[in-house]
């Protein structure tokens, strides 16, 4: 991606985009998340969470059911972490990321997800009045591929 394209795609002044509560609630009903490793004290989705200061990339996620909405400027690092952690026993990871199928990280890690779901429509993150300027995808990393609820395939934005 050249610099001009990068500036357009990453045009926000922040990297913290809170997942819409209604969207997360639907996912949480299916997965019963136990960990949010990319959170702040104000936007965490699970009782157990890590902030930027605690650095979820450095923590062990074994045995957790993890919801990841990473800082989008670090998608590659977070997807690599998700891929590696999901190899651990009883660990399931669901990642909400931009559907950027033209990127290296998409092919290096997203394509290795157990399941990939493209979200119909565009999400509205946090308190934003406009939808995101990009489509989103859900990636599920799980060594036990049969444990994914079928209803996730029908999810739409809210």
């Amino acid at each position: 991606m050249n610099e001009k394209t990068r500036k357009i795609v990453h045009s926000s002044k922040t990297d913290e985009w809170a997942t819409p509560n209604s969207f997360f609630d639907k996912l949480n009903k299916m997965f019963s998340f136990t960990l949010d490793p990319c959170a702040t004290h104000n936007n965490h989705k699970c009782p157990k969470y890590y902030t930027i200061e605690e650095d979820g990339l450095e923590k062990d996620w074994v045995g957790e059911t993890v919801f990841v909405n990473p800082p989008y400027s670090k998608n590659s690092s977070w997807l690599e972490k998700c891929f590696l952690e999901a190899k651990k026993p009883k660990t399931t990871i669901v990642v909400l990321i931009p559907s950027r199928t033209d990127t290296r990280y998409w092919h290096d890690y997203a394509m290795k997800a157990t399941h990939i779901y493209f979200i119909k429509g565009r999400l509205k993150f946090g308190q934003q009045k406009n939808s995101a300027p990009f489509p989103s995808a859900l990636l599920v990393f799980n060594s036990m591929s049969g444990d994914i609820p079928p209803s996730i395939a029908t999810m739409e934005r809210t």
Side-chain angles (χ1 to χ4, degrees), residues 23 27 31 67-68 94-97 106 113 115-119 136-140 152 155:
F23 186 79
L27 286 173
F31 290 95
F67 175 74
V68 179
V94 178
V95 187
L96 175 63
I97 63 166
W106 185 273
H115 299 280
I116 301 172
Y117 300 97
F118 296 96
I119 306 302
S136 297
L138 281 173
L139 308 177
V140 179
I152 195 170
M155 285 196 62

Side-chain angles (χ1 to χ4, degrees), residues 31-32 40 42 44 50 67 86 118-119:
F31 290 95
S32 299
T40 69
N42 297 322
H44 63 91
Y50 301 129
F67 175 74
F118 296 96
I119 306 302

Side-chain angles (χ1 to χ4, degrees), residues 55-114:
D55 194 0
L57 286 171
E58 295 299 319
K59 304 290 186 183
D60 188 350
W61 303 351
V62 68
E64 301 281 0
T65 304
V66 186
F67 175 74
V68 179
N69 178 1
Y72 290 169
S73 67
K74 296 183 180 183
N75 277 335
S76 183
S77 298
W78 282 98
L79 285 179
E80 179 181 16
K81 173 74 170 175
C82 293
F83 172 73
L84 295 172
E85 289 291 322
K87 293 180 177 185
K88 296 178 178 177
K90 298 182 181 178
T91 305
T92 299
I93 302 165
V94 178
V95 187
L96 175 63
I97 63 166
S99 177
R100 295 191 175 130
T101 60
D102 60 333
T103 61
R104 179 172 291 149
Y105 70 76
W106 185 273
H107 291 272
D108 288 348
Y109 302 109
M111 293 301 294
K112 294 176 183 172
T114 309

Side-chain angles (χ1 to χ4, degrees), residues 6-25:
R6 187 180 316 279
K7 285 181 180 179
I8 292 169
V9 170
H10 299 288
S11 59
S12 176
K13 292 179 179 160
T14 183
D15 221 9
E16 297 175 6
W17 294 96
T19 305
N21 286 329
S22 59
F23 186 79
F24 174 81
D25 291 344

